[in-house]
Amino acid sequence: LQFLPVSILVCEKMHTLIVAQNQLKHLPDSIGRLENLQRLFISNNQIEELPASIGKCHELAKIRMNDNHIQRLPFEILYLWPKYRPEGKPTKRGKLKEFLVARNPLLSPPITAFEMGGMDRAFNLLVEEIMKNPELLESKTRVQ
């Protein structure tokens, strides 16, 4: 499988999407339509980035994306983190409890943040990056 068929993305009540061990290079931006998605398993692919719309999948509790080519996480991933509270922005509370990223060349946040401090440490680094570079927040206002 090299791409997700559009027909999958109209299944708005879908709870689990397992497309691990394929040759996916990207996930479509329309993945954000899957607002009931609770588990996303995309390990062992060739994915280079997650779409910003992933932040609309507020029910996501597990993401497994080991063994891909992802270097940067979109800032919108923070909307899935239960501890994220953007200033002055009412948002649904995220439910993400498991986020597996091993064997990705992550630079932002660095893979070592996940390895040494877990998801909380890595996501705190993303928040710090936003605070240092407010211009990065342009896309943040699109996802809520």
Side-chain angles (χ1 to χ4, degrees):
L1 189 64
Q2 295 180 336
F3 61 91
L4 283 180
V6 175
S7 58
I8 286 177
L9 299 172
V10 297
C11 302
E12 294 175 2
K13 296 187 187 247
M14 183 185 312
H15 290 231
T16 302
L17 179 58
I18 301 172
V19 289
Q21 299 185 2
N22 284 287
Q23 287 105 32
L24 293 175
K25 293 190 188 287
H26 71 279
L27 295 175
D29 289 333
S30 53
I31 197 151
R33 291 187 202 159
L34 302 177
E35 294 181 9
N36 294 305
L37 192 63
Q38 297 172 9
R39 292 172 294 280
L40 177 63
F41 301 156
I42 56 173
S43 293
N44 299 92
N45 278 287
Q46 299 168 9
I47 298 170
E48 296 180 0
E49 66 181 0
L50 293 178
S53 66
I54 194 88
K56 292 181 181 179
C57 300
H58 297 287
E59 298 299 315
L60 267 173
K62 294 182 180 185
I63 299 175
R64 296 180 184 165
M65 56 175 240
N66 296 321
D67 296 296
N68 277 287
H69 303 292
I70 298 171
Q71 293 186 358
R72 303 184 84 67
L73 293 179
F75 293 108
E76 290 82 358
I77 197 88
L78 292 171
Y79 288 107
L80 306 180
W81 185 37
K83 297 180 181 179
Y84 185 56
R85 294 287 174 269
E87 293 180 25
K89 302 270 184 204
T91 62
K92 291 183 180 180
R93 188 174 185 132
K95 298 181 180 176
L96 193 61
K97 294 177 184 162
E98 179 182 299
F99 191 43
L100 304 181
V101 299
R103 294 173 301 282
N104 276 282
L106 275 171
L107 301 172
S108 177
I111 191 71
T112 55
F114 284 98
E115 294 168 348
M116 301 185 82
M119 179 174 65
D120 286 349
R121 178 64 187 132
F123 283 5
N124 275 320
L125 288 175
L126 271 182
V127 170
E128 288 174 20
E129 192 171 341
I130 288 173
M131 298 308 218
K132 289 178 185 174
N133 302 297
E135 68 276 3
L136 299 172
L137 298 177
E138 290 176 17
S139 63
K140 181 179 165 188
T141 58
R142 293 183 312 208
V143 179
Q144 291 184 15

